[in-house]
Amino acid sequence: MYDDAVCKIEKDTLVAMNKRTFLKLSSATIASPAILRLMSWAGADKMTNWAGNLEYSTENLHTAKSLDEIPAFVKKQPKLKVLGSRHCFNNIADSKDGFLSLKPLDEIVSLDSQTLTVTVDAGITYGQLSPLLDAKGFALHNLASLPHISVAGACTTATHGSGEKNGNLATAVSGLELVTASGDVVKLSRQHDGELFRGAVVGLGALGVITKVTLDIQPTYMMHQYVYEGLSFGAMKEHFDEIESSAYSVSLFTDWQKGLFSEVWLKSRVEKDQPSAPPEFFGAKRATKNLHPIAELSAENCTEQMGVPGPWYERLPHFRMGFTPSAGKELQSEYFVPRQHAVEAILAVERLRDEITPHLLITEIRAIAADDLWMSPCFNQSCVTIHFTWKQDWPAVSKLLPIIEKELAPFRARPHWGKLFTTSPQTLRAIYTKMDQFVALARKFDPPGKFRNDFLNTNIFG
Ligand SMILES: Cc1cc2nc3c(=O)[nH]c(=O)nc-3n(C[C@H](O)[C@H](O)[C@H](O)COP(=O)(O)OP(=O)(O)OC[C@H]3O[C@@H](n4cnc5c(N)ncnc54)[C@H](O)[C@@H]3O)c2cc1C
């Protein structure tokens, strides 16, 4: 039912990509069992997440070639995790027993221009889906900073972009198809399943194998983005609400030094008779060339700036498909703070600047609209996120996170499910008001705990 050779090829390809060694093997040589055995005997190349900071606890990877095969396969496995595009920085996707990948299942199943929805196979990435949607005249409401991630993995962890009127990516989900622990296929929709649906969308990989996702779409649109350099913390403090409402999507970048946001990224929909972007934005100066969020890095892998109009999917992410997003060798953490505490929380973190900056590549501040999805960090509250792209030094970062979390505790800050945090399970229980209902839902879908791993056992079921 599952082609083990194909699975092993995929695994070794992933390893090679992780190591960024670009092994110059022809596809025939990659397929050679001798090479595969050699790599596994050498033991040096393990299967890791995208950032390479997490070595998965098993190399037992099965790749589904068709949706029809999944129920029987799931039913047979005692323990299982689905692996998406491996972009989480913590062990939420890890398994000691076995992985199922849906990577080859990456098609658009149907597009309904009446209900404005698209149904996709769960293995598809935003980078694959977006140009196809655009070609048919449609668009999504938002994207994360990169298009390389799987739709299912992103939505189940409440991945977000920016824009105070934009909910996270999971808010576009209007339907889900799941294979539960027993191998049963369950279909849920926003329209018919109310609370059950709202509990399942941000499911943290705990409910089953998501096989299909239905997303809200809208007519396609064009966007442009302008970057401004040097916004003072003083201006941010005085004009935070004006700054956040000044564009469709706003991102503030800082290394916390000199009381400055080094860059402000403003992404807007192109509209008729739009005034041209002013040379100054609350004292910050309009950039004269494309920039990377980490100013020292080349902007080559970044989406086009300087007001050049382009399709929504080439402006909403910061990073372009086909290039390494962000810095590559890095760690990430992110905290969601209720919008009304945004300025206070940012200034609280600023007080830690001399501890943070030596270990930091860049911080990004974004705004996200409230939603009604139980395990979303934006459940019932609009949020501002304080994100940290760290140098890849876990011993140092692991000491800093509790200090930052202590500073943000008065604001009941919720950590990003897919990034690194040290928030205690007790605190998570206190700040996620629907945690008990979610645990009950997960037990209903997965009574034996087939999809539970260390992350879920510690943080959700502990
Ligand atoms: C460079 C970089 C930039 C990023 N930018 C952003 C950003 O802008 N905004 C943001 O919010 N996050 C961002 N992230 C984090 C990222 O979006 C999330 O970690 C997201 O979960 C990645 O999806 P994935 O498919 O890679 O997940 P994986 O790490 O593969 O899996 C995550 C979880 O989803 C589950 N899962 C995946 N597929 C399925 C399925 N079919 N059925 C059931 N469960 C499934 C897994 O079991 C696991 O529990 C970024 C990460 C990186 C590396």
Side-chain angles (χ1 to χ4, degrees):
M1 181 159 50
Y2 290 86
D3 185 337
D4 282 336
V6 172
C7 303
K8 277 191 74 65
I9 292 162
E10 185 187 334
K11 185 190 78 185
D12 289 329
T13 308
L14 298 180
V15 167
M17 280 160 59
N18 275 324
K19 299 284 177 191
R20 296 183 181 82
T21 48
F22 303 104
L23 296 174
K24 288 210 172 84
L25 298 170
S26 70
S27 51
T29 359
I30 290 175
S32 151
I35 296 283
L36 296 175
R37 270 200 305 277
L38 182 64
M39 288 174 86
S40 109
W41 170 82
D45 289 315
K46 297 279 186 189
M47 203 169 81
T48 71
N49 65 347
W50 173 85
N53 66 301
L54 176 79
E55 216 171 71
Y56 292 123
S57 307
T58 177
E59 301 195 4
N60 182 15
L61 171 75
H62 300 270
T63 300
K65 286 193 292 192
S66 97
L67 285 177
D68 298 342
E69 298 165 350
I70 294 174
F73 176 76
V74 170
K75 194 173 173 190
K76 225 169 54 189
Q77 304 305 310
K79 295 284 278 180
L80 182 67
K81 286 309 289 179
V82 185
L83 209 48
S85 40
R86 302 172 302 111
H87 277 65
C88 286
F89 289 86
N90 59 27
N91 60 345
I92 189 169
D94 196 17
S95 173
K96 293 192 175 81
D97 307 279
F99 291 113
L100 173 65
S101 167
L102 275 59
K103 199 169 171 225
L105 305 176
D106 59 1
E107 306 261 315
I108 292 184
V109 179
S110 61
L111 191 153
D112 188 331
S113 56
Q114 296 302 309
T115 56
L116 284 176
T117 54
V118 64
T119 299
V120 295
D121 290 334
I124 203 167
T125 64
Y126 285 98
Q128 292 170 304
L129 170 63
S130 300
L132 297 177
L133 264 187
D134 186 63
K136 291 184 186 297
F138 296 99
L140 298 170
H141 79 293
N142 211 349
L143 290 170
S145 69
L146 76 176
H148 309 62
I149 50 178
S150 79
V151 171
C155 292
T156 204
T157 55
T159 291
H160 62 93
S162 190
E164 62 176 11
K165 294 205 173 82
N166 300 320
N168 66 40
L169 303 188
T171 61
V173 176
S174 67
L176 277 182
E177 189 177 292
L178 287 151
V179 175
T180 62
S182 54
D184 292 324
V185 177
V186 173
K187 293 180 185 179
L188 299 173
S189 75
R190 189 195 285 144
Q191 201 185 353
H192 296 116
D193 297 295
E195 278 296 88
L196 183 61
F197 174 78
R198 291 189 279 277
V201 174
V202 179
L204 309 179
L207 306 183
V209 180
I210 302 162
T211 46
K212 286 184 198 156
V213 185
T214 302
L215 299 170
D216 292 337
I217 54 175
Q218 53 186 276
T220 189
Y221 51 92
M222 296 285 280
M223 295 194 77
H224 58 60
Q225 58 184 341
Y226 285 98
V227 175
Y228 287 83
E229 294 183 272
L231 178 82
S232 72
F233 272 59
M236 178 278 297
K237 205 172 141 189
E238 286 296 302
H239 303 286
F240 190 76
D241 288 338
E242 287 163 84
I243 290 169
E244 289 301 335
S245 63
S246 63
Y248 187 76
S249 161
V250 177
S251 291
L252 310 178
F253 291 95
T254 182
D255 67 0
W256 299 102
Q257 293 298 316
K258 300 183 188 155
L260 275 184
F261 291 97
S262 49
E263 295 176 23
V264 180
W265 289 41
L266 302 179
K267 300 172 193 271
S268 306
R269 288 186 181 221
V270 174
E271 276 155 26
K272 243 175 116 193
D273 303 326
Q274 220 163 15
S276 57
E280 285 206 14
F281 179 77
F282 298 101
K285 306 270 184 297
R286 199 175 64 207
T288 52
K289 58 175 189 189
N290 282 356
L291 293 174
H292 190 285
I294 304 167
E296 298 76 35
L297 297 187
S298 156
E300 191 196 7
N301 60 353
C302 295
T303 48
E304 189 68 42
Q305 302 155 35
M306 307 278 291
V308 178
W312 56 279
Y313 66 94
E314 290 182 354
R315 295 296 178 274
L316 283 169
H318 304 328
F319 303 106
R320 290 201 277 158
M321 197 67 189
F323 288 79
T324 301
S326 196
K329 199 167 184 237
E330 65 191 55
L331 302 174
Q332 293 188 10
S333 308
E334 189 166 32
Y335 299 94
F336 294 69
V337 175
R339 170 67 185 257
Q340 69 269 26
H341 301 308
V343 172
E344 230 185 318
I346 292 167
L347 295 177
V349 176
E350 196 207 4
R351 287 194 288 277
L352 302 173
R353 61 185 173 276
D354 291 341
E355 287 165 82
I356 289 174
T357 309
H359 306 289
L360 187 76
L361 291 168
I362 200 71
T363 274
E364 180 177 10
I365 313 277
R366 288 178 275 186
I368 304 124
D371 61 53
D372 57 5
L373 306 173
W374 292 1
M375 297 306 281
S376 160
C378 296
F379 177 71
N380 278 354
Q381 60 184 26
S382 57
C383 285
V384 160
T385 54
I386 307 179
H387 162 93
F388 304 86
T389 302
W390 302 107
K391 294 175 189 167
Q392 211 169 71
D393 180 358
W394 177 237
V397 172
S398 63
K399 287 194 191 81
L400 267 174
L401 294 185
I403 300 171
I404 295 170
E405 286 162 8
K406 192 168 165 221
E407 210 58 37
L408 293 177
F411 313 113
R412 295 171 70 82
R414 294 169 173 171
H416 192 301
W417 289 118
K419 303 185 181 180
L420 294 162
F421 61 86
T422 58
T423 311
S424 72
Q426 293 75 14
T427 303
L428 290 175
R429 188 158 286 277
I431 56 185
Y432 277 92
T433 52
K434 287 282 192 180
M435 183 77 91
D436 288 344
Q437 288 92 324
F438 180 73
V439 167
L441 181 68
R443 289 194 202 283
K444 191 172 147 193
F445 276 70
D446 179 17
K450 187 173 280 191
F451 299 106
R452 273 179 238 160
N453 59 4
D454 284 354
F455 179 94
L456 293 173
N457 284 330
T458 303
N459 294 300
I460 308 295
F461 297 94

